[in-house]
Amino acid sequence: MKKFLIYFFSIWMFMGVSHSQSQDDFPEVTLENPRNTAYIHLFYLQRDSYDPARAAQAMPPTMEEENRITLAEQLFQVYDGKGLFVSIDRIPDNSEYADSTGAHVYVPFPRQLPGVYLERIDSLWYYSPQSIPVIRETHESLFPFGADFWINLLPFGIEGEYFGLQMWQYTAIFI
């Protein structure tokens, strides 16, 4: 039985190792326009490019890094939990972008999340400090009592399908 467990987990870990992009293909963090800021936030929270510290650079610069990371991950989960797809090509790439009122503000989802928006602060674009409570409240309503714990339970490297079964199915069979 001990050999079986060692063999099972060795294969599980070996199969879960993903071939990620080289660092040269990763986008530069410039935050010079709404598109780069939104893209940086989403790109660095993907499986093959997971770097939450870089993703967190899109959050308000006045926050501590740990809080920025938490907020970036929460917003990512809110988008996912609400089924919102961010179409990067539709986000303005003009550093001087202004909405119809003349404010340097871009709202990715004006109907679904009107209180979450990007704004230009000292020539760089960040998610607005006013978005922080909206992100936290929306996250809490989507994932009450810390239900987001289950989202983060399996590390990225061991997810996927192998021999026609998902990794969670192998785990359930083993248990």
Side-chain angles (χ1 to χ4, degrees), residues 54-133:
R54 281 196 178 168
Q57 290 179 35
M59 296 299 132
T62 55
M63 298 175 69
E64 292 181 21
E65 184 178 16
E66 186 176 321
N67 293 332
R68 292 173 85 184
I69 289 171
T70 300
L71 192 65
E73 290 174 336
Q74 286 179 340
L75 180 56
F76 186 78
Q77 291 171 352
V78 164
Y79 284 162
D80 215 22
K82 285 187 154 289
L84 300 174
F85 176 75
V86 179
S87 181
I88 295 295
D89 295 339
R90 291 186 177 174
I91 299 175
D93 63 354
N94 177 359
S95 63
E96 298 297 321
Y97 173 81
D99 66 6
S100 60
T101 67
H104 294 287
V105 169
Y106 177 76
V107 184
F109 298 100
R111 287 190 204 117
Q112 300 91 336
L113 285 172
V116 176
Y117 57 92
L118 296 148
E119 75 174 335
R120 194 171 79 173
I121 302 171
D122 297 331
S123 78
L124 297 178
W125 286 81
Y126 301 94
Y127 282 95
S128 170
Q130 290 78 15
S131 298
I132 296 169

Side-chain angles (χ1 to χ4, degrees), residues 126-153:
Y126 301 94
Y127 282 95
S128 170
Q130 290 78 15
S131 298
I132 296 169
V134 177
I135 294 168
R136 290 188 173 146
E137 289 168 13
T138 306
H139 186 269
E140 180 61 31
S141 71
L142 288 171
F143 304 101
F145 310 112
D148 59 321
F149 166 79
W150 298 106
I151 293 171
N152 302 319
L153 189 58

Side-chain angles (χ1 to χ4, degrees), residues 8-82:
F8 176 77
F9 284 111
S10 297
I11 288 183
W12 189 12
M13 294 309 246
F14 174 75
M15 289 170 39
V17 175
S18 63
H19 301 286
S20 61
Q21 297 173 314
S22 77
Q23 292 288 337
D24 297 336
D25 297 339
F26 288 8
E28 182 181 357
V29 179
T30 64
L31 308 177
E32 65 189 4
N33 57 55
R35 183 180 295 175
N36 180 264
T37 301
Y39 187 62
I40 291 304
H41 169 238
L42 299 173
F43 181 84
Y44 285 109
L45 292 177
Q46 300 297 318
R47 298 179 202 289
D48 293 341
S49 55
Y50 190 72
D51 187 344
R54 281 196 178 168
Q57 290 179 35
M59 296 299 132
T62 55
M63 298 175 69
E64 292 181 21
E65 184 178 16
E66 186 176 321
N67 293 332
R68 292 173 85 184
I69 289 171
T70 300
L71 192 65
E73 290 174 336
Q74 286 179 340
L75 180 56
F76 186 78
Q77 291 171 352
V78 164
Y79 284 162
D80 215 22
K82 285 187 154 289

